[in-house]
Amino acid sequence: MNWTGQLLSLVCLALAYTKVDSRPRLDALMVHEWTSVDIEWPSDAVKQEYIKNGSFVAEKNIITGIKVYKNQIYVTIPRWRTLTGIPVTLATVVQSDVRSKLRPYPDWTSQTVGDCQSLQNVQSMEIDPNSGLMYVLDTGRIGILSDAVKPENLCPAKIVVLDLNTNKQVASYDMPADVVSRDNNFMNDIVLDYVDGQVRYAYITDVLEEVIHVFDFLTGAAWNVKDADSMKAEANGEDFINNGVNYTFTVGVDGIAMSPDFDYVYYCPLAGYKLYQVPTSSLRNGSAQGVRPVGKKVSQSGGVIYSDKSFYYGALADNAVYSWDAQKDARDQNVDIGHVKLTTEMLVAKNNQTMQWQDTFAVDECGWLWFVSNRLQLFITDTMDFSGREINMRIWKVFINETSYLQGARERTAILPIIG
Ligand SMILES: *[C@@H]1O[C@H](CO)[C@@H](O)[C@H](O)[C@H]1NC(C)=O
Ligand SMILES: *[C@@H]1O[C@H](CO)[C@@H](O)[C@H](O)[C@H]1NC(C)=O
Ligand SMILES: *[C@@H]1O[C@H](CO)[C@@H](O)[C@H](O)[C@H]1NC(C)=O
Ligand SMILES: *[C@@H]1O[C@H](CO)[C@@H](O)[C@H](O)[C@H]1NC(C)=O
Ligand SMILES: *[C@@H]1O[C@H](CO)[C@@H](O)[C@H](O)[C@H]1NC(C)=O
């Protein structure tokens, strides 16, 4: 372990002891909660102006994406269901007057609707803990999940790279329109692929196009990989019951995860139970060769994630988070990860009231699994209670003693010098 690695583990150890107290290991801890989002405004006068002219409508804002780096929480607030009313689409979470508030990240200017240098509509991002860079997905389109408004196709879809240590943008890549459609993309979630010690590819699920977009950071090329059967809503997979209410979500490929050896990408349609695996060697060369179902989840999921050891997913009908121990299954079945059937399932967290719709996950450098639960089934159907009687959005963390699939990827994927 190098010097920074040692320092980090000391910091993590201190955090673990101060944060866990005497609670049992696998208890999920609630870190932040909201009835409706609250923003850290420059002043109350500005807030009142935003409310008066319709630029801030609290009930149109929902927290979806989460990633964590150096104990700082980053979240997204997608511009899904209206064209106005959502002033901030990427934020950090800060505690102010005992309330949890969203601080625009990296700043207010970068949230400007209609300015293509700014962020238009962010749902997902990935953080590379090796570099402290955040890779932000921006669909470039707003109002893309609404029956009431027609989407506005304002800007090209792009990946914006932000340096979390300097809070500066270091790169921005427009996606070619013939790969990521200007008028129909819904880039949903992203994982990164390391080759030769550096970030080489991004794999992005698109729930409207039902493809995986591939972007090559080295050459700037982009292409799509489509496997129609596994990337569309599963037959009989779109209905589920949550706390006695029926919901139908006919949504294709959504959750995506990367194995820690960078050999396989995992994905699943939101509407469905099956988890699929595809070799990165196929995605890298533009094919879906080798796609196979690897396991049947207990329920439909939004987000999924692979740590450096295990696979985690949300179970929408069950208000729960489960994990699969792929390494144990591979040992038990005496096969490699490319042939294993995932069966060793463990309940990580469950609560019918407080953990509805586990939307996205993150694993930090200190061994914690983080997730957002946001009752999205209510938000999307306009049945969310904003009166103050209910908590709608929560940020949770559970200590799993694992780290991100990306942690240490530089060393793991570096080309070894040839000695001879
Ligand atoms: C609403 O008011 C805010 C604060 O004065 C201003 O920045 C924004 O441009 C206004 N928006 C509209 C649509 O008028
Ligand atoms: C949670 O909901 C499920 C499904 O409706 C039900 O079977 C279970 O008993 C509930 N658990 C609790 C603790 O209420
Ligand atoms: C909910 O869905 C189940 C299974 O499809 C069905 O049997 C039931 O009648 C539905 N309930 C309602 C209230 O629609
Ligand atoms: C792409 O990669 C897969 C998996 O390694 C391989 O089987 C296939 O032949 C490759 N296709 C092309 C066009 O190179
Ligand atoms: C975390 O896992 C490591 C082995 O990977 C182990 O040595 C250590 O004791 C574990 N820490 C806790 C707090 O469980």
Side-chain angles (χ1 to χ4, degrees):
M1 200 188 305
N2 58 19
W3 158 241
T4 29
Q6 282 184 24
L7 189 64
L8 188 64
S9 63
L10 283 176
V11 171
C12 289
L13 203 60
L15 285 172
Y17 280 111
T18 53
K19 291 277 163 69
V20 182
D21 350 308
S22 57
R23 286 161 190 264
R25 185 114 307 206
L26 277 176
D27 251 14
L29 305 180
M30 205 275 297
V31 185
H32 294 283
E33 59 177 24
W34 295 267
T35 292
S36 59
V37 306
D38 205 352
I39 292 168
E40 187 188 55
W41 298 93
S43 69
D44 194 57
V46 171
K47 176 179 179 176
Q48 295 314 324
E49 281 178 48
Y50 268 74
I51 292 173
K52 212 162 88 193
N53 72 12
S55 295
F56 178 52
V57 182
E59 305 82 64
K60 299 298 178 190
N61 291 254
I62 190 92
I63 295 169
T64 64
I66 184 169
K67 289 290 173 277
V68 178
Y69 177 69
K70 290 188 175 171
N71 218 33
Q72 176 71 65
I73 304 169
Y74 299 85
V75 294
T76 66
I77 311 92
R79 291 180 170 131
W80 274 344
R81 292 178 62 73
T82 49
L83 301 175
T84 57
I86 308 169
V88 176
T89 189
L90 179 64
T92 57
V93 181
V94 294
Q95 202 84 34
S96 121
D97 316 329
V98 272
R99 301 199 60 186
S100 301
K101 294 191 177 177
L102 306 184
R103 175 183 295 166
Y105 191 81
D107 51 33
W108 270 99
T109 330
S110 52
Q111 318 290 324
T112 312
V113 173
D115 169 11
C116 292
Q117 305 306 310
S118 293
L119 299 168
Q120 301 305 298
N121 178 12
V122 179
Q123 177 181 333
S124 294
M125 68 300 208
E126 182 61 288
I127 293 173
D128 179 358
N130 305 303
S131 60
L133 296 181
M134 177 192 273
Y135 296 75
V136 182
L137 283 186
D138 180 3
T139 61
R141 312 174 59 226
I142 62 172
I144 63 178
L145 202 56
S146 166
D147 305 322
V149 297
K150 263 181 60 137
E152 279 186 7
N153 307 316
L154 299 168
C155 300
K158 61 182 185 282
I159 301 176
V160 175
V161 185
L162 303 172
D163 184 336
L164 302 181
N165 289 307
T166 62
N167 304 319
K168 295 262 188 300
Q169 179 174 317
V170 294
S172 180
Y173 305 91
D174 283 358
M175 297 295 109
D178 59 346
V179 176
V180 183
S181 142
R182 282 287 299 262
D183 59 6
N184 195 48
N185 94 74
F186 186 165
M187 297 195 301
N188 189 272
D189 207 352
I190 176 173
V191 289
L192 300 173
D193 184 11
Y194 256 77
V195 178
D196 298 345
Q198 53 183 311
V199 173
R200 174 68 192 268
Y201 302 100
Y203 305 119
I204 299 160
T205 52
D206 190 318
V207 299
L208 285 177
E209 297 282 310
E210 298 185 342
V211 297
I212 291 178
H213 304 298
V214 182
F215 182 69
D216 182 342
F217 288 101
L218 190 66
T219 64
W223 56 90
N224 289 332
V225 174
K226 187 171 179 88
D227 181 63
D229 282 349
S230 64
M231 294 182 188
K232 65 168 197 259
E234 206 172 288
N236 307 318
E238 63 264 52
D239 301 325
F240 68 87
I241 301 173
N242 183 291
N243 288 307
V245 182
N246 275 8
Y247 295 94
T248 302
F249 287 94
T250 311
V251 177
V253 60
D254 182 309
I256 189 165
M258 169 66 83
S259 67
D261 58 8
F262 298 99
D263 283 348
Y264 295 97
V265 165
Y266 294 78
Y267 62 89
C268 48
L270 189 152
Y273 296 87
K274 283 183 193 155
L275 178 72
Y276 294 90
Q277 178 194 61
V278 60
T280 44
S281 57
S282 294
L283 297 179
R284 289 169 185 170
N285 71 10
S287 94
Q289 207 169 327
V291 169
R292 69 175 188 106
V294 290
K296 189 165 183 285
K297 299 178 284 114
V298 303
S299 171
Q300 295 88 340
S301 330
V304 301
I305 198 168
Y306 222 122
S307 70
D308 62 344
K309 275 206 190 72
S310 315
F311 178 85
Y312 295 85
Y313 70 89
L316 299 182
D318 300 73
N319 308 302
V321 175
Y322 284 88
S323 77
W324 262 324
D325 189 340
Q327 290 179 352
K328 177 179 182 299
D329 285 336
R331 280 196 305 275
D332 291 352
Q333 295 162 33
N334 198 21
V335 293
D336 63 24
I337 290 294
H339 295 87
V340 74
K341 279 277 170 204
L342 297 180
T343 57
T344 306
E345 196 150 57
M346 283 160 298
L347 182 65
V348 175
K350 174 174 169 68
N351 188 302
N352 282 348
Q353 292 314 311
T354 62
M355 292 185 187
Q356 292 177 23
W357 201 294
Q358 322 70 40
D359 202 342
T360 50
F361 294 88
V363 183
D364 70 13
E365 315 93 282
C366 295
W368 295 86
L369 174 75
W370 296 73
F371 64 96
V372 167
S373 67
N374 61 9
R375 300 189 163 186
L376 205 63
Q377 79 281 5
L378 303 177
F379 183 74
I380 294 293
T381 54
D382 292 322
T383 52
M384 193 168 257
D385 180 354
F386 287 105
S387 69
R389 282 190 299 267
E390 297 284 337
I391 303 292
N392 293 312
M393 294 160 260
R394 291 179 174 85
I395 291 177
W396 295 96
K397 66 175 186 177
V398 186
F399 190 69
I400 56 172
N401 200 19
E402 294 169 14
T403 57
S404 161
Y405 69 96
L406 288 163
Q407 191 102 25
R410 278 182 181 162
E411 292 76 16
R412 275 187 283 131
T413 64
I415 315 170
L416 295 174
I418 298 162
I419 303 164

